[in-house]
Structures are given as structure tokens and as C-alpha cells.
Amino acid sequence: MVLHGTVPTAVSRTWSAAHHHVIEFGARWEGTFRDITARRGRGRLMTDPSLLVTRPALSDPGLLFRRDGAEHEPLSVLAPCPNLESAPIAWDALAGPYSRELLSVLDARGYAGIISGFDVDHIDTPTTWAAQGMSAGSPFGGAHVFRQTGPFRRRNLDPRYPNIVLAGSGTVPGVGVPTVLLSGRLAAERLGVTRHRH
Ligand SMILES: Cc1cc2nc3c(=O)[nH]c(=O)nc-3n(C[C@H](O)[C@H](O)[C@H](O)COP(=O)(O)OP(=O)(O)OC[C@H]3O[C@@H](n4cnc5c(N)ncnc54)[C@H](O)[C@@H]3O)c2cc1C
């Protein structure tokens, strides 16, 4: 689940973690993995959340802008959660209260003022991803398990369909923007496109 919005820089400037991406680990990190990856019907929300806090304006100050007369920066908070098969959660009802709980966790971990300062404009949940056709409401396709990672990811050539070359996070070498760009390059090479021709 991801919260997207903005925060006044007067609030975020006081936070000690000032990086583009920060992962705020909870102490129960391994238990958290078990919570969210449990098999069908057994998954649950993290009992001790580990959260990804993303502040892209720290890399690109051009993203700062004025909102309601004050300087703001974009802010996203990502909370790993079970997919809809693991836990068929009624996200439409839960998203609001769960967001408030997560912001309280961050406030207690040093993000003072985030509860009232973070203007959340948009929330993505597994229900959002499911509505876009993603299986079990998971935007990551194959799981991040060893046998589906890197070179073991689905190949980008399928012998049954010789005129199709796959590219993107569902195929080799997997999830992530740099990885997906590599996947595009591999696909281009499979098509016989050489570097000097594009
Ligand atoms: C919440 C979240 C956070 C992430 N954070 C990071 C991060 O910090 N760093 C990082 O490197 N990676 C991150 N990733 C992973 C990264 O975003 C993906 O691996 C990458 O975007 C996948 O690229 P793609 O081109 O395969 O697919 P996408 O970027 O999903 O692009 C597929 C496009 O196809 C379109 N589409 C789908 N079906 C159709 C159709 N039938 N007709 C026409 N268009 C269609 C979709 O609308 C979409 O625009 C994150 C992913 C998620 C979900």
C-alpha cells in the first residue's frame, strides 16, 4: 500500500533522515515477512511496520512547489502488505484508518509533524492494483523468491510465439526501474537491434 502526497518543507526539514529513499525497519523485521507472505487466507498486516519513505525532491529540488502558500515537497510512504489471496482485506474501509496508524508509527520514529503535515492526495492498495488487472492485487508479478529472481525470471523469448519478445518487470532480469531498462535492452538485442542503429 502506498500513500502519495506532499508535506510542508518547514515540517520535513526537521526530520533527521534526509535521503531520497529511507527504509524505516521495525524491530520485528523477520516476523513482518512472515505476516505479509503467509499462504492463502493466513496473511495479515505488519505487526511492527517496516516502511519505505521516499522524498524525491532531495535529489531533484525542481520538484519543490508551493501549496496553500507554503513550500511543499512530494512524499510517498510505502507499507508492504499481503496480497488479496494471502489476506482478502476490505481495503476501501481499511485504507484510511491504516494510513493514520502508519503515520503515528513514523511520527514516533522521528518524523515529527507528519500526522497533521502530510497532505495525502492518493492511496494505492491491492484493490487499486487488482482493478488494473494485476493478479491478487500484486503489482510485482512473480514473487521475490530466489527461483523467480534475476536470470530465473520468466524468459523474454517464448518458443511457442517466435514473433514476440517480452520486456519489463515480469521477465528477466526482474523488478525495478534499472532492471527493467536492462530488460528492454535485452529485448532489443533479441530483435537484432544493435546499439549504433538506435
Ligand atoms: C509501489 C511500488 C514502488 C516501487 N518503487 C520502486 C523504486 O523505488 N525503485 C525502483 O527501481 N523500482 C520501484 N518499483 C518497481 C518499478 O516501478 C517496476 O519494476 C517498473 O515500473 C516496471 O516497469 P514495466 O515497464 O515492466 O511496467 P510498468 O511501469 O507497470 O508499465 C506498464 C505500462 O503498461 C500499461 N498497460 C497495461 N496494460 C495495458 C494495455 N492493455 N494496453 C495499454 N497499456 C497497458 C500500464 O498502464 C503501464 O503504464 C516499484 C513498484 C511499485 C509497485
Side-chain angles (χ1 to χ4, degrees):
M1 165 181 162
V2 199
L3 316 180
H4 295 287
T6 69
V7 64
T9 49
V11 171
S12 54
R13 206 178 289 129
T14 66
W15 300 343
S16 59
H19 301 283
H20 185 121
H21 279 314
V22 173
I23 302 179
E24 292 291 343
F25 286 102
R28 270 196 80 243
W29 163 245
E30 289 187 17
T32 293
F33 246 105
R34 283 194 295 277
D35 291 341
I36 64 172
T37 60
R39 61 195 156 82
R40 191 182 291 263
R42 297 279 180 94
R44 56 179 182 163
L45 297 174
M46 299 179 285
T47 44
D48 181 19
S50 285
L51 303 166
L52 170 67
V53 179
T54 302
R55 297 173 59 190
L58 291 173
S59 307
D60 179 1
L63 294 174
L64 296 171
F65 67 102
R66 296 197 80 73
R67 184 177 198 178
D68 303 328
E71 186 183 62
H72 278 66
E73 66 166 281
L75 174 67
S76 299
V77 173
L78 182 154
C81 63
N83 69 29
L84 293 172
E85 271 182 14
S86 177
I89 289 168
W91 280 102
D92 288 347
L94 193 75
Y98 188 48
S99 305
R100 288 191 284 281
E101 187 181 313
L102 294 174
L103 296 184
S104 304
V105 169
L106 286 174
D107 188 76
R109 291 186 190 168
Y111 292 77
I114 196 169
I115 297 173
S116 57
F118 186 14
D119 273 323
V120 179
D121 295 304
H122 181 79
I123 304 180
D124 283 323
T125 71
T127 308
T128 318
W129 311 116
Q132 291 176 20
M134 295 181 207
S135 163
S138 166
F140 292 105
H144 287 259
V145 291
F146 182 69
R147 62 179 197 285
Q148 293 189 32
T149 309
F152 307 116
R153 202 91 172 153
R154 182 189 176 148
R155 303 177 69 82
N156 58 359
L157 287 178
D158 184 334
R160 290 170 303 172
Y161 307 102
N163 57 341
I164 293 179
V165 181
L166 302 174
S169 62
T171 182
V172 285
V175 168
V177 173
T179 338
V180 163
L181 293 176
L182 197 58
S183 174
R185 200 182 85 193
L186 288 173
E189 284 172 4
R190 305 279 189 267
L191 289 168
V193 180
T194 55
R195 265 187 207 194
H196 67 273
R197 281 168 58 197
H198 53 79

